[in-house]
Amino acid sequence: MSLRYAVLTLLDIEPGSGYDLKRRFERSVSHFWSASHQQMYRELHRLHDEGLLDCTEQPQAGKPDKKIYSLTDRGREALRAWVQQPPPAQKIREPFLIQLFAGHHLSREQAQDAVQRQLDQHRALLDSYLEQNEKVLHSDPKLQEQYWLAHQTLLLGIEAERTWIEWGEKMLRKLGEPDKQ
């Protein structure tokens, strides 16, 4: 998958500016896909140049015009064709696991600190996802039904964070045992 289809998907739900899109991205697909603000803008321009997006300018008082992007028929068709193709299974790409793989260069305390930092980050992510889930559960039932599959991705993110936390807590217990390096 690439960022282009995440952008097309989010604009299929609702047109918006680059800023709107980034905020929407952070509240939704960021639990399984990452992109910087710059990457998002580059992709918007690319999709517009390819005719998959329309762009209208909305005047703003005292500021540059705001560009609002929306899918063209061609963009909607590209999204529809892509979503029907089976994607390959994605392998985990986690920098922390590479560091841990080379963990024999760490003291026990350094390893414990590294695991604790990861554990804290995953707990914060879980809290964020649970908060997002509450918003979904209290949203309009028609929207819940329409975006039921999208909600399932958030639920998977919640389970993934719970798994990371469980694993991190086990790691800390193991690192606390006297026979561990």
Side-chain angles (χ1 to χ4, degrees), residues 50 60 106 142 177:
E50 292 174 25
Q60 300 186 103
L106 299 172
K142 286 182 182 179
E177 293 174 6

Side-chain angles (χ1 to χ4, degrees), residues 27-141:
R27 291 189 315 255
S28 61
V29 299
S30 68
H31 58 274
F32 55 84
W33 197 260
S34 63
S36 70
H37 201 68
Q38 294 83 3
Q39 288 172 310
M40 189 94 50
Y41 275 99
R42 276 194 304 270
E43 196 61 45
L44 280 171
H45 293 294
R46 213 174 287 134
L47 291 166
H48 182 257
D49 290 345
E50 292 174 25
L52 302 179
L53 296 180
D54 274 332
C55 180
T56 58
E57 294 193 5
Q58 188 178 69
Q60 300 186 103
K63 297 179 187 175
D65 291 347
K66 185 177 188 178
K67 293 181 178 183
I68 305 295
Y69 294 92
S70 60
L71 263 68
T72 61
D73 288 341
R74 223 173 116 204
R76 202 165 277 103
E77 185 52 42
L79 178 59
R80 193 173 292 118
W82 172 80
V83 81
Q84 294 176 26
Q85 299 301 311
Q90 190 71 27
K91 293 188 180 212
I92 296 173
R93 289 181 56 158
E94 178 60 52
F96 173 67
L97 295 179
I98 295 293
Q99 290 177 325
L100 203 58
F101 197 74
H104 58 279
H105 293 286
L106 299 172
S107 69
R108 181 190 305 237
E109 293 76 23
Q110 289 172 319
Q112 286 172 319
D113 288 347
V115 171
Q116 185 63 57
R117 278 191 304 276
Q118 287 296 309
L119 195 51
D120 293 344
Q121 290 176 22
H122 285 284
R123 284 181 176 140
L125 279 172
L126 176 59
D127 289 344
S128 170
Y129 295 168
L130 290 171
E131 186 178 308
Q132 289 176 41
N133 190 50
E134 281 301 309
K135 289 177 184 174
V136 170
L137 295 175
H138 291 94
S139 66
D140 180 334

